[in-house]
Amino acid sequence: MVSERTLYKYVYAGLFKARNIDMPRTICMRPRRKKPYTIKVDTRCREGRTRKDYEAFIRQNPDTPVVQLDSVEGIKNGAVLLTVTFVSTGLQVAFRCDHNDARSVSDIFDRLYLELRPIFL
């Protein structure tokens, strides 16, 4: 003996000749929507990295050159643009990454380091 729900699962899995369209309850109900996969980020990693902290640092060190990084994401899990903005000059450079992860960013900086070659070595 099995429950009614188990029979529905077997039909959905294709174990019988009957199909979902043959089941009266199945055609009346919408398929359940799956919850999107979310990555939980530890909020402690943002300590000391807020906008207020940035503004306080700039007030204390006005002569420090500032470079801002951002990623522009079009389609989820698709290619992204890594933008590097030099605040004092207003210059913005963009690099295309295949993935939006830390490894892609470090690969770009490794490539820049190799192509531009450090002057002081």
Side-chain angles (χ1 to χ4, degrees):
M1 297 296 294
V2 293
S3 69
E4 180 183 354
R5 185 69 205 141
T6 303
L7 285 174
Y8 276 95
K9 286 181 183 179
Y10 289 165
V11 170
Y12 184 74
L15 299 177
F16 301 128
K17 287 184 180 178
R19 298 183 333 205
N20 286 345
I21 197 75
D22 300 329
M23 308 295 271
R25 192 173 130 213
T26 304
I27 59 174
C28 295
M29 299 177 69
R30 283 188 200 166
R32 291 187 178 154
R33 193 166 45 131
K34 293 183 179 179
K35 292 182 181 179
Y37 176 72
T38 57
I39 299 172
K40 296 187 180 193
V41 177
D42 187 11
T43 55
R44 288 178 287 161
C45 71
R46 294 191 178 115
E47 289 177 1
R49 300 174 60 197
T50 64
R51 180 76 180 178
K52 289 180 183 178
D53 297 326
Y54 167 74
E55 290 171 352
F57 178 80
I58 293 301
R59 275 194 301 275
Q60 293 173 359
N61 306 294
D63 296 334
T64 304
V66 177
V67 179
Q68 296 176 346
L69 299 174
D70 194 13
S71 59
V72 180
E73 189 174 27
I75 299 171
K76 286 285 183 190
N77 299 325
V80 296
L81 287 177
L82 173 70
T83 59
V84 181
T85 306
F86 299 90
V87 176
S88 60
T89 61
L91 174 69
Q92 186 175 44
V93 184
F95 301 95
R96 185 182 184 279
C97 299
D98 291 330
H99 304 285
N100 192 14
D101 57 359
R103 183 73 204 153
S104 297
V105 174
S106 61
D107 287 344
I108 286 175
F109 280 102
D110 290 343
R111 190 180 80 209
L112 283 173
Y113 183 82
L114 289 173
E115 289 182 9
L116 297 177
R117 294 187 182 86
I119 299 170
F120 302 109
L121 288 180

